[in-house]
Amino acid sequence: MNIKLLICDDDLIFAEALRQFLSEKLPDTVRFQVCGDRNGLMKLLEENHHCDLLLMDICLEEDNGISLAKELLTCFPQMPVIFITGYPDLYYEKVFLSLRPYGFVKKPVNGQLLLTLIDRAAEEIRRTRQDSRQWILLKTKNGIEKISVAQIRYVESRKHMLIVHGIRNIWETYGRLGDMAAEMPDYFFYCHKSFLVNAHYIQSYEGSYFTLDDGSHISISQNRRKEIRVKFFEYLEKDKE
């Protein structure tokens, strides 16, 4: 499960050291980005469309991290926030009166405590994703559209665009296919750098490609054929149950 973790701290030397520490301790599925102020944070959120976990410094140069987090949570209500500060006695009460943070860590950071909080947040993120996998939200030319995952045959990547092929409709949005693959149920196969296919609509399997129920041919890249073969036959076994 991929997790996007943002570190927002105006002390970029500290933020980079924290990123380095966490990257050594956490699995490769956790992706890190660092910013130092409101503008940088907003830019990253706009580029990524969301953040799974935010590590927020309270004392930013031109902003109060508590107020900024409260503002962000109106748009991303499920986002866990862990506050970090060198002055816990000044802000502890205000944090818990203003909002319900996922955690509160003082500087110098207790690495084991922070790792424990991140592990717990990751588990909640996993459960939330399982509950929400029946639907996805896509930003299209018509605005934000809620789409049933079960209605998606396959997703195709063309440059920076994702073309989502549904049973009755086709939607276009900007994004990375790998990011979408990480959000989808395990019966979606990331079988090619350009294709993500819903196994429910596979009519036949020829080793190098799938044929779907509508006649579409979906290529399987050479370096993924062994993995996809295993996943496909595991899917068939589960489908018999």
Side-chain angles (χ1 to χ4, degrees):
M1 178 184 70
N2 290 327
I3 292 177
K4 295 177 182 177
L5 188 154
L6 299 187
I7 302 171
C8 184
D9 195 304
D10 59 3
D11 183 347
L12 292 178
I13 295 176
F14 166 82
E16 183 58 32
L18 183 60
R19 185 202 67 78
Q20 182 63 34
F21 167 76
L22 293 175
S23 65
E24 293 172 357
K25 300 293 184 179
L26 295 172
D28 294 339
T29 51
V30 181
R31 302 178 185 179
F32 300 91
Q33 290 181 294
V34 173
C35 60
D37 56 23
R38 168 189 288 267
N39 291 337
L41 180 58
M42 293 302 186
K43 182 178 179 181
L44 288 176
L45 288 172
E46 182 177 344
E47 290 173 353
N48 295 315
H49 305 298
H50 80 288
C51 165
D52 293 310
L53 176 60
L54 175 63
L55 305 187
M56 171 70 83
D57 183 23
I58 290 179
C59 297
L60 300 173
E61 282 189 358
E62 298 179 358
D63 264 301
N64 179 294
I66 301 171
S67 300
L68 179 54
K70 191 173 182 179
E71 178 183 332
L72 291 175
L73 287 171
T74 62
C75 301
F76 306 97
Q78 301 300 322
M79 179 176 64
V81 180
I82 297 175
F83 286 105
I84 300 175
T85 181
Y87 309 95
D89 294 339
L90 291 177
Y91 296 104
Y92 188 85
E93 185 175 315
K94 184 177 180 181
V95 165
F96 285 92
L97 286 175
S98 299
L99 67 164
R100 297 179 62 186
Y102 197 83
F104 192 96
V105 180
K106 68 178 181 179
K107 297 179 182 178
V109 171
N110 180 322
Q112 189 54 53
L113 171 61
L114 183 57
L115 288 171
T116 299
L117 290 171
I118 292 173
D119 283 343
R120 290 177 181 174
E123 179 60 24
E124 288 200 13
I125 292 165
R126 184 188 65 80
R127 287 199 299 267
T128 300
R129 285 184 182 177
Q130 286 181 335
D131 293 341
S132 63
R133 280 181 174 179
Q134 293 182 357
W135 304 89
I136 60 170
L137 296 176
L138 290 183
K139 186 177 181 181
T140 71
K141 62 183 180 181
N142 297 320
I144 303 295
E145 297 189 58
K146 184 178 180 181
I147 298 169
S148 168
V149 168
Q151 298 298 310
I152 298 173
R153 274 198 177 91
Y154 68 98
V155 184
E156 179 183 2
S157 175
R158 296 180 191 167
K159 296 183 178 180
H160 300 296
M161 294 294 298
L162 297 179
I163 296 88
V164 180
H165 296 261
I167 301 301
R168 298 180 181 84
N169 298 298
I170 295 176
W171 300 271
E172 293 186 1
T173 187
Y174 288 99
R176 299 184 183 93
L177 191 61
D179 290 342
M180 179 174 282
E183 302 295 328
M184 300 298 261
D186 58 8
Y187 56 82
F188 274 79
F189 298 165
Y190 192 13
C191 57
H192 189 283
K193 68 178 182 180
S194 299
F195 294 106
L196 177 65
V197 63
N198 185 340
H200 294 349
Y201 296 103
I202 294 174
Q203 191 73 34
S204 64
Y205 167 56
E206 305 296 335
S208 61
Y209 65 90
F210 291 119
T211 301
L212 305 189
D213 62 341
D214 66 344
S216 300
H217 292 287
I218 306 297
S219 297
I220 305 170
S221 60
Q222 179 71 42
N223 63 339
R224 300 186 189 188
R225 287 178 189 173
K226 183 177 180 180
E227 173 195 350
I228 293 300
R229 184 178 186 278
V230 172
K231 289 188 69 172
F232 181 64
F233 283 104
E234 286 179 349
Y235 166 78
L236 292 179
E237 286 300 316
K238 287 181 181 178
D239 199 40
K240 291 178 183 178
E241 296 175 1

